[in-house]
Amino acid sequence: MSLSRDQIAKRVAQELQDGFYVNLGIGIPTLVANYVPTDMEVMLQSENGLLGMGPYPTEDNVDADMINAGKETVTAVTGASIFSSAESFAMIRGGHVDLTVLGAFEVDQNGNIASYMIPGKLVKGMGGAMDLVAGAQNIVVTMTHADKRGNSKLLASCSLPLTGVDCINKVVTDLAVMKIENGAFHLLERAPGVSVEEIIEKTAGKLIVPEFVPEMSFE
Amino acid sequence: MSLSRDQIAKRVAQELQDGFYVNLGIGIPTLVANYVPTDMEVMLQSENGLLGMGPYPTEDNVDADMINAGKETVTAVTGASIFSSAESFAMIRGGHVDLTVLGAFEVDQNGNIASYMIPGKLVKGMGGAMDLVAGAQNIVVTMTHADKRGNSKLLASCSLPLTGVDCINKVVTDLAVMKIENGAFHLLERAPGVSVEEIIEKTAGKLIVPEFVPEMSFE
Amino acid sequence: MAGFDKVVDTYEQAMSGLTDGMTVIAGGFGLCGIPEGLIAQIKTMKTSGLTFVSNNCGVDDFGLGILLQEKQIKKMISSYVGENAEFERQYLAGELEVELTPQGTLAEKMRAGGAGIPAFYTATGYGTPVAEGKEVKEFNGRQYILEESITGEFAIIRAWKADKMGNLVYRDTAMNFNPMAATAGKTTVVEVEEIVEVGELKPMEIQTPGIYVDRIIKGSFEKRIERLTLAKN
Amino acid sequence: MAGFDKVVDTYEQAMSGLTDGMTVIAGGFGLCGIPEGLIAQIKTMKTSGLTFVSNNCGVDDFGLGILLQEKQIKKMISSYVGENAEFERQYLAGELEVELTPQGTLAEKMRAGGAGIPAFYTATGYGTPVAEGKEVKEFNGRQYILEESITGEFAIIRAWKADKMGNLVYRDTAMNFNPMAATAGKTTVVEVEEIVEVGELKPMEIQTPGIYVDRIIKGSFEKRIERLTLAKN
């Protein structure tokens, strides 16, 4: 069975470590915040200038001046700091964020990512995505393994305009966990009940498959 | 009579305007603060991170954490702000300071300045001087017209290593006020009782002398 | 403090000197922290052919979007310009130029512009459409592109409090691009929620020193929320 | 907050990992805002061949000067290195390398290092000995030189207060180079006057977010004054 969005988020949450500063993109990455292990603390960075993003506010404490990078109203946790956009991206560009999780249209075997622009459609802009992929040492991309027509999104070479080059280390899809190294995807785990064959079939880029591929564990 | 250090400072103070942000270097420039006209307000910038430098402290309010760029204990005026060295030099380099006053060993007719290094002597460093001369739109140099042996310090071309090129607009010496423009010094005023001939004699660089050279006024 | 009193009474005074074809750096992220009254004044003035440097372009009927409606904007330099139907129409019709710039690069371009740094290298955008036509240079085995800084004839920003000398503090994430924008305008105009006496803001709490600020006006703000998101139960 | 508790109890722990030949970025201006106890710990450790990036090099018997006395410093990257006789002796004897860097360029090199910007252009130093061997480029009719950023294996800084997560506030002009130095170290160690509980420092008052800080130690400071200057009664 392919994973649900929440299950993908839950699997990504296993990449967290106590004391990590983490930037979560819009969509599935945002859900990761719901699965931070209870014995662990992480600080969420929002690139509009907030380190220590908290939950959404109650109706009583909504404040138009407290939003996240997705323009949603949020709160700040105890220990949070607020700063300018230049400072926020100094943090990101300077490699100080421990883990960045974001979505993508395509990822390729060389760690390139395409996530912001589909030619022919209106270009809305890259926002902070290019800075995030260029700055982070440790990036996890979350996406479905293939698009709705069954075309693989894990390619030999991205077909869409790139957001960044040679920057993605790890991909968590609805079917598998893979790392990217030396010009290939390396299959690390498969979703419970998903066959290695299905993953091979839906991966267009070079895929290295070890002898034994464990199922993801969610206990 | 050539001007005293205090008189030079007094003459430089006439370059101030109400509402100016001003950076005063070490030595004669520091004295300018004593001659700010009483109907005028200026804010003094100290490049270690203080905008709104006040007088020296009394013994009771000395604070090791409140110093100026000359490492002297100082106070802050009402309305002062304190910031990092990067922010301070962003201000300076970005041309936000209205007037900079500093000393020099030599100035030449092309607006070059040498002020930090005499080969053969120990090099102590340029501190913030290179940033100040590169950043300011409006710089006044204060110095004696000639050195102790009578050698002119206003040259066709500086002989010492430069602090900055093509950056000095105005020079106030013990003998004269000059502007620098189009590759020449232009004599604007002479010290009371000092002859135009003496100024010509002590100026090695190209000097343009108008028909009438007024004496400085100190009323 | 005559020479340092930067408070103006009317929006006309606040935006006086803005003329057709100028570049305006605007603070704000989405609709958060935008100088609402200064934008409205530009609409009133009907100034046109403007280039705006702003992370976003508001929504159809609020923020910079209202200047799009009036066709006063020639060009936008932004990182993200969704949420705006009129923007889309003008862009597709070729009536509006857009220079998409990564958000962090945009913030740094403003800061650099204010700080007298004409250009800097960044890895952001290398190998992407953003890098087209830009110089590439290698440092420590990695490729970087050269990005030039941005300044404008005007900067329009919002702060929380200003003292009369223009020392500013911001309120929470309404800070965003405002401090950098403040440094990058030849004339910087700030619209604030509150004007306080000089001395009320302490030296260490001031986030933008008054040296960057030319005019201050007290505004009143709608503070529209773009995406109201509440905790479940 | 186990994972975010950065407080250490001993100077040994604070400087653990520093080894011969490393580059250390140090905050402070003159003797103001220097991490006195961390410097003393480096003396105790006898680590040698160090490169220090610091605006100044202390005086003979205080600040970084005490590491000069022990010949632990191989190279200084500074803007001003007067007030130090042993410095002069070692420099003239060829025992000490010195890279003089304009003060604003030095501050910006640290900031850029922390911000992932490998190099930037500045007019500062163009046409002077500082420009030797550096790339020159013209922007808008003016000449600028390319300056590369600086990072170090360690940064040692002083702040006024830290919460246990490493959020920092500084005290008056003891701030100086400390915030930039904090960002430029692979391991950043801060010595503070006071450690407070998380939450005591408000989000908008924090000057260095904890993300830059790895270790915190409470120090006690002599705070020697280099030039006591008093008002004339």
Side-chain angles (χ1 to χ4, degrees):
Chain A
M1 273 282 292
S2 63
L3 301 184
S4 67
R5 289 162 52 91
D6 273 286
Q7 285 173 308
I8 295 176
K10 207 167 168 185
R11 174 58 191 83
V12 171
Q14 294 174 18
E15 305 292 314
L16 299 172
Q17 292 178 28
D18 193 24
F20 259 24
Y21 296 96
V22 180
N23 185 294
L24 301 176
I26 293 168
I28 296 175
T30 299
L31 302 175
V32 174
N34 301 332
Y35 300 101
V36 179
T38 48
D39 59 346
M40 198 180 276
E41 231 182 307
V42 301
M43 289 284 270
L44 301 178
Q45 207 259 14
S46 187
E47 62 264 30
N48 59 317
L50 170 60
L51 181 65
M53 181 166 57
Y56 295 128
T58 60
E59 212 152 333
D60 290 343
N61 59 5
V62 165
D63 185 335
D65 292 338
M66 272 302 290
I67 67 170
N68 66 14
K71 297 171 192 165
E72 301 170 323
T73 46
V74 290
T75 58
V77 301
T78 304
S81 50
I82 295 173
F83 34 80
S84 73
S85 301
E87 177 61 41
S88 183
F89 282 95
M91 229 170 246
I92 290 168
R93 200 190 303 103
H96 302 279
V97 175
D98 296 302
L99 176 68
T100 292
V101 185
L102 76 176
F105 300 142
E106 298 173 348
V107 169
D108 74 26
Q109 65 198 31
N110 293 309
N112 300 324
I113 174 173
S115 66
Y116 86 103
M117 181 182 179
I118 299 181
K121 289 202 183 180
L122 180 72
V123 181
K124 293 191 171 183
M126 67 293 285
M130 284 192 182
D131 307 279
L132 283 161
V133 298
Q137 313 296 308
N138 187 9
I139 306 181
V140 175
V141 166
T142 61
M143 57 183 196
T144 55
H145 213 96
D147 69 16
K148 283 167 191 164
R149 274 163 290 167
N151 298 314
S152 178
K153 296 159 110 178
L154 301 162
L155 308 174
S157 178
C158 287
S159 68
L160 297 170
L162 296 181
T163 308
V165 299
D166 191 13
C167 53
I168 307 303
N169 318 103
K170 208 162 206 176
V171 183
V172 178
T173 73
D174 53 340
L175 304 183
V177 178
M178 286 150 297
K179 70 173 173 181
I180 302 176
E181 220 173 66
N182 302 323
F185 297 100
H186 296 254
L187 185 55
L188 301 179
E189 299 171 22
R190 58 201 168 87
V194 168
S195 69
V196 169
E197 288 66 34
E198 181 180 354
I199 295 166
I200 291 172
E201 187 205 330
K202 290 189 172 162
T203 304
K206 184 174 175 187
L207 180 68
I208 309 280
V209 182
E211 233 171 298
F212 174 70
V213 181
E215 283 193 353
M216 298 176 200
S217 136
F218 289 100
E219 87 272 4
Chain B
M1 275 283 291
S2 64
L3 301 183
S4 67
R5 288 162 54 91
D6 273 286
Q7 284 173 309
I8 294 175
K10 207 168 167 184
R11 175 58 192 81
V12 171
Q14 294 175 19
E15 306 291 314
L16 298 171
Q17 292 179 27
D18 193 24
F20 258 25
Y21 296 95
V22 180
N23 185 293
L24 300 176
I26 293 167
I28 296 175
T30 300
L31 302 174
V32 174
N34 301 331
Y35 299 103
V36 179
T38 49
D39 60 344
M40 198 181 276
E41 231 181 309
V42 301
M43 289 285 269
L44 301 179
Q45 208 258 14
S46 188
E47 62 263 29
N48 58 317
L50 170 60
L51 181 65
M53 181 167 57
Y56 295 129
T58 59
E59 213 153 330
D60 289 345
N61 59 6
V62 165
D63 185 336
D65 292 340
M66 272 301 290
I67 68 169
N68 66 15
K71 297 170 192 164
E72 301 170 322
T73 46
V74 291
T75 59
V77 301
T78 304
S81 51
I82 295 173
F83 33 79
S84 73
S85 301
E87 177 59 42
S88 184
F89 282 95
M91 230 171 245
I92 290 167
R93 200 190 304 102
H96 302 280
V97 174
D98 296 302
L99 177 67
T100 293
V101 185
L102 74 175
F105 299 142
E106 299 173 346
V107 170
D108 73 26
Q109 65 198 29
N110 293 309
N112 300 324
I113 175 173
S115 66
Y116 86 104
M117 180 182 180
I118 299 181
K121 291 203 183 180
L122 181 72
V123 181
K124 293 192 171 185
M126 68 294 283
M130 284 192 182
D131 307 280
L132 282 161
V133 299
Q137 313 296 308
N138 187 11
I139 306 181
V140 175
V141 165
T142 62
M143 58 183 194
T144 55
H145 214 96
D147 69 17
K148 283 166 191 166
R149 275 162 289 168
N151 298 315
S152 178
K153 296 159 111 178
L154 301 161
L155 307 174
S157 179
C158 288
S159 67
L160 296 170
L162 297 180
T163 309
V165 299
D166 190 12
C167 53
I168 307 302
N169 318 104
K170 210 163 204 173
V171 183
V172 179
T173 73
D174 53 341
L175 303 183
V177 178
M178 286 149 296
K179 70 172 177 183
I180 302 176
E181 219 173 68
N182 302 322
F185 296 101
H186 297 252
L187 184 55
L188 301 179
E189 298 171 24
R190 58 199 169 90
V194 168
S195 70
V196 168
E197 287 65 34
E198 182 181 352
I199 295 166
I200 292 173
E201 187 205 330
K202 291 189 173 162
T203 305
K206 184 174 176 186
L207 179 69
I208 311 280
V209 182
E211 234 172 298
F212 174 69
V213 181
E215 283 192 352
M216 299 176 199
S217 135
F218 289 101
E219 87 274 0
Chain C
M1 62 158 270
F4 287 109
D5 186 352
K6 298 170 183 176
V7 176
V8 298
D9 297 322
T10 68
Y11 282 102
E12 289 73 22
Q13 292 170 294
M15 292 310 299
S16 156
L18 180 74
T19 56
D20 292 355
M22 281 185 171
T23 294
V24 182
I25 321 273
F29 180 91
L31 302 182
C32 181
I34 59 174
E36 301 178 11
L38 299 177
I39 295 169
Q41 172 61 19
I42 296 174
K43 177 177 171 181
T44 303
M45 290 166 74
K46 301 191 196 305
T47 324
S48 70
L50 296 171
T51 294
F52 268 91
V53 185
S54 167
N55 191 57
N56 314 91
C57 194
V59 295
D60 275 321
D61 63 342
F62 201 66
L64 293 179
I66 66 172
L67 304 182
L68 273 180
Q69 298 283 347
E70 305 294 324
K71 300 190 179 156
Q72 295 175 264
I73 302 180
K74 183 184 73 177
K75 181 176 179 179
M76 286 298 309
I77 300 178
S78 305
S79 87
Y80 190 82
V81 290
E83 354 289 4
N84 197 313
E86 175 62 13
F87 186 100
E88 187 165 343
R89 195 200 61 70
Q90 290 185 21
Y91 177 64
L92 294 175
E95 295 167 22
L96 178 68
E97 288 172 63
V98 179
E99 189 175 320
L100 288 177
T101 304
Q103 195 174 142
T105 297
L106 185 65
E108 193 66 16
K109 277 171 174 260
M110 290 184 193
R111 181 196 176 268
I117 290 170
F120 56 90
Y121 281 98
T122 176
T124 300
Y126 170 74
T128 78
V130 164
E132 276 166 30
K134 290 174 185 161
E135 278 185 42
V136 173
K137 193 171 163 72
E138 184 176 314
F139 296 91
N140 298 316
R142 193 170 180 199
Q143 304 296 319
Y144 295 81
I145 60 173
L146 186 64
E147 291 279 7
E148 294 195 20
S149 66
I150 295 181
T151 56
E153 281 89 356
F154 270 81
I156 59 170
I157 68 160
R158 190 218 285 183
W160 181 23
K161 295 180 189 175
D163 70 23
K164 293 177 179 177
M165 294 177 97
N167 291 308
L168 308 180
V169 295
Y170 302 93
R171 190 163 177 280
D172 294 341
T173 64
M175 184 182 217
N176 56 61
F177 281 84
N178 285 298
M180 288 77 69
T183 69
K186 193 162 162 41
T187 298
T188 291
V189 189
V190 55
E191 189 179 11
V192 297
E193 298 185 45
E194 192 182 342
I195 295 173
V196 301
E197 290 304 317
V198 174
E200 285 191 43
L201 305 178
K202 299 296 163 233
M204 289 303 285
E205 93 181 289
I206 290 165
Q207 290 160 325
T208 291
I211 194 170
Y212 295 114
V213 173
D214 297 288
R215 303 173 192 165
I216 306 159
I217 189 161
K218 186 179 175 323
S220 58
F221 299 91
E222 176 184 336
K223 290 197 182 181
R224 192 185 293 189
I225 291 174
E226 206 164 343
R227 292 201 185 139
L228 179 65
T229 326
L230 296 175
K232 283 166 192 155
N233 89 321
Chain D
M1 56 160 272
F4 287 108
D5 187 351
K6 298 170 182 175
V7 177
V8 298
D9 297 321
T10 68
Y11 282 102
E12 288 73 22
Q13 291 171 297
M15 293 309 299
S16 155
L18 180 74
T19 56
D20 292 354
M22 282 187 169
T23 293
V24 182
I25 321 273
F29 180 91
L31 303 181
C32 182
I34 60 173
E36 301 176 12
L38 298 177
I39 296 170
Q41 172 60 20
I42 296 173
K43 179 178 169 183
T44 302
M45 290 165 74
K46 301 190 196 304
T47 325
S48 69
L50 297 170
T51 293
F52 268 91
V53 185
S54 167
N55 191 57
N56 314 91
C57 193
V59 294
D60 275 321
D61 63 343
F62 201 67
L64 294 179
I66 66 172
L67 303 182
L68 274 180
Q69 298 283 347
E70 305 294 324
K71 300 193 179 153
Q72 295 176 264
I73 303 180
K74 183 185 73 179
K75 181 177 178 180
M76 286 297 311
I77 300 177
S78 304
S79 87
Y80 190 82
V81 290
E83 356 287 4
N84 198 313
E86 175 63 13
F87 187 98
E88 187 167 342
R89 196 201 60 72
Q90 290 186 21
Y91 177 63
L92 294 175
E95 295 168 21
L96 178 67
E97 288 172 62
V98 179
E99 188 175 319
L100 288 177
T101 304
Q103 194 174 143
T105 297
L106 186 66
E108 192 67 16
K109 277 171 174 261
M110 290 184 194
R111 181 195 176 269
I117 290 170
F120 57 90
Y121 280 98
T122 176
T124 300
Y126 170 73
T128 79
V130 164
E132 274 165 33
K134 289 174 185 163
E135 279 186 40
V136 173
K137 194 172 162 73
E138 183 176 315
F139 297 92
N140 300 314
R142 192 170 181 201
Q143 304 296 320
Y144 295 82
I145 60 173
L146 186 64
E147 291 280 7
E148 295 194 19
S149 65
I150 296 180
T151 55
E153 280 88 356
F154 270 81
I156 59 171
I157 68 160
R158 189 220 285 184
W160 182 24
K161 294 179 190 176
D163 70 24
K164 294 178 177 177
M165 294 178 96
N167 292 308
L168 307 181
V169 295
Y170 302 93
R171 189 162 177 280
D172 294 341
T173 62
M175 185 182 214
N176 56 62
F177 281 84
N178 284 298
M180 287 78 69
T183 69
K186 193 162 161 43
T187 298
T188 291
V189 188
V190 55
E191 188 178 13
V192 297
E193 299 185 45
E194 193 182 340
I195 295 173
V196 301
E197 290 304 317
V198 174
E200 283 191 44
L201 304 179
K202 299 295 164 233
M204 289 302 286
E205 91 182 291
I206 290 165
Q207 289 159 327
T208 291
I211 194 170
Y212 294 114
V213 173
D214 298 287
R215 302 174 193 164
I216 306 160
I217 188 160
K218 186 178 175 321
S220 58
F221 298 90
E222 175 185 337
K223 290 199 184 180
R224 193 185 294 187
I225 291 174
E226 209 163 341
R227 292 199 185 140
L228 179 65
T229 325
L230 297 175
K232 286 165 193 156
N233 76 327

